[in-house]
Amino acid sequence: MTDVPSASPVPPASPVPPASPVPPASPVPPPAPTSTDSAAAFPASPTQAVVLAGGQGSRLRPYTDDRPKPMVEIPGTGTPIIGHQLAWLAAEGVTDAVVSCGHLAEVLQEWLARARLPLRVTTVVEEEPLGRGGGLKYAARHLPHPDRPWYATNGDIWTRFSLREMAAFHAERGAVATLALARPRIPWGVVETNEFGQILDFIEAPPSPYLINAGVYVFGAEFTALLPDLGDHERTTFPRLARERRLAGFPLPQGAYWRAIDTAKDLTEAARELAAQNAS
């Protein structure tokens, strides 16, 4: 990883002709957006967020050979994943975002400096690997309002739902942290049988019976101090909060679009879903 200054403020920039083959930002929205309530409906909603964009994306090679995973473009949109995320955050009332960079950090920083951004962005790079929890804590320390709640999202998530509703859910339950929960489709066809072992039906890619962590979060101001300086918060902080009943789970609303972009197949599926949405 190339060392860069620990925090680099990136103000909204005027458009500059691209200096590399990385695609410029454009205001193309993700598919299947759901309605978003007005800011007045949820006045306590966070206005700051952390985007975790440091993963190497090894399963997305060769797309990630020359750019970090969040800079991979969804086919047909002309916009990288992080461009969609920042547009979504801004539409949900976020005015300041901290982007935690890692693999090929300079490529992402250069794109952010060139792009027309709908909010203020600061980038940070870990001087040494801190783990998922330590990296999140390091990025959170650069938020402009450490005494206020904040959102966080993984840099490979492409989604649309009301963050304001999620923030209201978080506040109503008095939670320290709230996880968005998705019900993904099983990637294989399944077989339904009866008690005699007779096959009744074949079901292609059914919804999973289990909810999963969707990679989008609402955190109270006190959450930052509970994160480890080094290590994985999902093995330490989250289990502790769960035992104390201070961790909440917000199921994504019916019909909300959500996809984690992990493989080339995910890119293909996302493009197909976008085409279907545009045709409807």
Side-chain angles (χ1 to χ4, degrees), residues 107-178:
V107 176
L108 179 52
Q109 289 174 318
E110 289 170 6
W111 182 85
L112 290 168
R114 293 199 315 269
R116 285 175 172 263
L117 301 176
L119 72 177
R120 290 181 291 272
V121 173
T122 297
T123 61
V124 298
V125 180
E126 300 169 29
E127 296 180 1
E128 57 185 32
L130 300 174
R132 289 193 296 178
L136 184 60
K137 186 173 190 176
Y138 179 70
R141 286 173 172 165
H142 293 85
L143 289 168
H145 307 291
D147 58 339
R148 300 180 190 175
W150 47 290
Y151 297 119
T153 179
N154 295 342
D156 59 357
I157 301 299
W158 195 25
T159 186
R160 276 291 193 277
F161 65 91
S162 174
L163 283 174
R164 293 185 175 100
E165 290 183 6
M166 184 177 173
F169 178 97
H170 168 86
E172 287 168 359
R173 283 148 185 80
V176 173
T178 297

Side-chain angles (χ1 to χ4, degrees), residues 13-69:
S14 300
V16 177
S20 73
V22 179
S26 66
V28 179
T34 57
S35 61
T36 299
D37 296 302
S38 66
F42 303 106
S45 297
T47 60
Q48 55 186 0
V50 168
V51 179
L52 298 172
Q56 292 192 9
S58 56
R59 290 191 293 170
L60 264 174
R61 289 175 178 164
Y63 298 100
T64 50
D65 285 344
D66 62 353
R67 66 194 64 195
K69 189 176 184 182

